[in-house]
């Protein structure tokens, strides 16, 4: 075995050394991203996060491995993405009580109620899907945004539109998962009209990568104002049909109900927040554990509420409709079947039913993007 080697991997620095038993391997790492951590092992080069390569999971910063004899092994350690972390027992933020009280006094959620928006479409592209170049508009920012061809499925739609033309002049998000490369393409203010493709900020995400706390870069936006990916935080009708949402949910607030001048991780940016004593961009709110789920109108709302208790919801953008779900034109299950109470089925849940979990340091907002490789 070679001497101990330190290898930076997506915010974690991994050290591989000989174990106590000469045939064993000792792994340790610095805590870049929060755990739990999954350890992967392969014989064919640095392994990706394919479940077949996984050898174990731990909340510690070390792992002792006993690999089979006769091969050279490569190791990788991944943390869970922020939105996949169970925050059931996470401590509340020291300012949680005052922030929730201030938010309630300001009117709570946008439109005065806890409501669901179903307008964002998540498309999938396969190996036959053509990539199209686009002309950047004034909504494209350097160095925050990526200038690269985008896979555009033949049949698809922008957020709030029936096709690819941004006829309603809304946010017009174009979200495509390119399955062959496990890559997520998200564009804000896309428009393909009369064959001409123009677009605002494009953010490209490697779905096999666990990004560090700085994600694509501190002070950098994405297709969402918080600098976060959108698709992993959306919930869809198929999840409700399966009875479980296993991630945090995207939520938004009016600008005056978000803290001015700062953000917190996992956000890396903020839009135009103007409030005082309010939750910052990136804040995660958790539904109280004793909320009476049986009082909700259907099982679909209870599935959502259970996710809000376990994973919470992350503040990602400005607007009036609190929660964001995926359009059901591209899912097997349909909202009418799995959520008969519709967009207002959660209206009995109020801001005061939440607490803000510990958000750590507030990061001053400068808008001076420094991209992370």
């Amino acid at each position: 075995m070679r001497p101990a080697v330190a290898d930076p991997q997506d915010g974690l620095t991994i050290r591989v050394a000989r174990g106590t038993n000469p045939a064993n391997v000792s792994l340790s790492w610095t805590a870049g991203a929060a755990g739990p951590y999954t350890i992967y092992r392969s014989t064919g080069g640095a392994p990706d996060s394919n479940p077949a390569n996984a050898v174990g999971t731990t909340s510690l910063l070390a792992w002792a491995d006993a690999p089979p004899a006769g091969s050279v092994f490569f190791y990788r350690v991944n943390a869970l993405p922020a939105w996949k972390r169970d925050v059931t027992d996470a401590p509340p933020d020291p300012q949680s009580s005052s922030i929730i009280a201030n938010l309630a006094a300001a009117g709570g959620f946008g439109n005065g109620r806890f409501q669901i928006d179903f307008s964002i479409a998540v498309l999938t592209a396969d190996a036959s899907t053509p990539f199209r170049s686009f002309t950047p508009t004034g909504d494209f920012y350097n160095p925050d945004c990526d200038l690269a061809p985008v896979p555009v499925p033949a049949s698809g739609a922008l957020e709030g539109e029936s096709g690819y033309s941004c006829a309603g002049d809304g946010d017009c998000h174009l979200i495509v998962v390119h399955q062959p490369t496990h890559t997520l393409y998200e564009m804000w203010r896309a428009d393909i009209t009369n064959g001409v493709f123009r677009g605002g900020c494009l953010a490209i995400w490697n779905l096999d990568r666990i990004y560090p706390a700085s994600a694509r870069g501190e002070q950098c936006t994405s297709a969402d104002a918080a600098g976060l990916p959108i698709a992993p935080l959306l919930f869809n009708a198929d999840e409700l049909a399966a009875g479980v949402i296993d991630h945090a949910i995207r939520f938004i607030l009016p600008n005056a109900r978000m803290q001015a001048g700062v953000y917190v991780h996992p956000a890396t940016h903020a839009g135009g927040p103007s409030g005082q004593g309010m939750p910052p961009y990136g804040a995660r709110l958790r539904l109280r554990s004793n909320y009476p789920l049986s009082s909700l109108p259907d099982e679909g709302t209870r599935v959502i509420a259970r996710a809000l208790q376990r994973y919470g919801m992350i503040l990602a953008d400005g607007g009036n409709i609190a929660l964001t779900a995926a359009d059901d034109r591209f899912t097997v299950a349909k909202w009418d079947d799995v959520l008969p109470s519709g967009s207002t089925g959660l209206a009995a849940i109020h801001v005061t039913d939440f607490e803000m979990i510990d958000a750590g340091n507030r990061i001053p907002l400068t808008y001076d993007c420094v991209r992370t490789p």
Side-chain angles (χ1 to χ4, degrees), residues 13-373:
T13 298
I14 314 303
R15 185 177 184 273
V16 183
R18 190 186 303 275
T20 304
N21 182 323
N24 291 353
V25 173
S26 174
L27 301 175
S28 60
W29 51 92
T30 58
Y37 307 95
T38 302
I39 297 87
Y40 299 89
R41 180 183 68 206
S42 78
T43 58
D48 61 21
S49 52
N50 186 318
N53 292 324
V55 294
T57 300
T58 180
S59 295
L60 304 176
L61 299 177
W63 181 265
D65 190 43
S71 296
V72 175
F73 292 95
F74 299 83
Y75 290 90
R76 184 173 188 84
V77 178
N78 278 359
L80 288 174
W83 44 88
K84 285 281 193 177
R85 296 172 197 161
D86 187 330
V87 297
T88 303
D89 299 319
D93 191 87
Q95 299 178 30
S96 176
S97 295
S98 62
I99 285 174
I100 295 298
N102 292 340
L103 184 55
F109 298 113
N111 294 337
R113 64 186 178 188
F114 203 38
Q115 193 174 348
I116 305 170
D117 174 18
F118 302 101
S119 64
I120 296 185
V122 179
L123 313 176
T124 57
D126 59 24
S128 67
T129 303
F131 279 73
R132 298 190 58 174
S133 297
F134 69 97
T135 300
T137 67
D139 296 313
F140 184 98
Y141 312 108
N142 278 317
D144 308 53
C145 310
D146 297 316
L147 186 59
V150 179
V152 180
S155 298
L158 307 178
E159 174 190 8
E161 301 289 352
S162 59
Y164 288 124
S165 180
C166 187
D169 197 32
D171 282 353
C172 292
H173 283 108
L174 170 62
I175 299 181
V176 184
V177 177
H178 188 247
Q179 294 176 323
T181 59
H182 295 177
T183 304
L184 172 63
Y185 294 80
E186 298 188 334
M187 178 181 283
W188 179 56
R189 300 278 291 161
D191 178 60
I192 306 176
T193 301
N194 297 325
V196 178
F197 187 5
R198 302 171 71 247
C201 192
L202 169 68
I204 300 176
W205 299 89
N206 180 350
L207 295 177
D208 288 331
R209 180 180 179 188
I210 304 301
Y211 287 81
S214 58
R216 295 171 62 255
E218 294 290 4
Q219 307 292 335
C220 300
T221 192
S222 63
D224 224 0
L228 293 165
I230 297 171
L233 292 167
L234 303 181
F235 63 98
N236 63 43
D238 288 340
E239 288 176 301
L240 263 66
V244 63
I245 298 169
D246 64 352
H247 57 82
I249 295 172
R250 178 184 189 261
F251 90 103
I252 64 178
L253 287 170
N255 284 338
R257 300 177 199 176
M258 294 184 284
Q259 181 63 36
V262 298
Y263 63 84
V264 296
H265 290 149
T268 60
H269 185 269
S274 58
Q276 295 299 324
M278 298 293 175
Y281 263 85
R284 190 187 302 230
L285 271 57
R286 175 181 58 203
L287 181 64
R288 60 186 172 94
S289 61
N290 61 350
Y291 186 86
L293 300 184
S294 61
S295 68
L296 295 172
D298 49 49
E299 181 56 22
T301 52
R302 288 187 280 274
V303 171
I304 300 168
R306 284 193 288 268
L308 293 171
Q309 290 174 325
R310 184 172 182 180
Y311 300 100
M313 57 185 188
I314 298 175
L315 185 52
D317 204 354
N320 286 313
I321 302 180
L323 289 185
T324 316
D327 192 307
D328 67 1
R329 283 178 289 177
F330 306 99
T331 57
V332 175
K334 303 302 174 186
W335 287 119
D336 285 346
D337 298 323
V338 298
L339 194 67
S341 57
S343 66
T344 59
L346 296 166
I349 298 178
H350 301 287
V351 160
T352 50
D353 290 313
F354 289 86
E355 62 182 345
M356 178 175 151
I357 69 166
D358 192 356
N361 295 332
R362 275 53 167 172
I363 301 169
L365 179 63
T366 69
Y367 298 111
D368 296 324
C369 171
V370 178
R371 285 294 298 270
T372 300

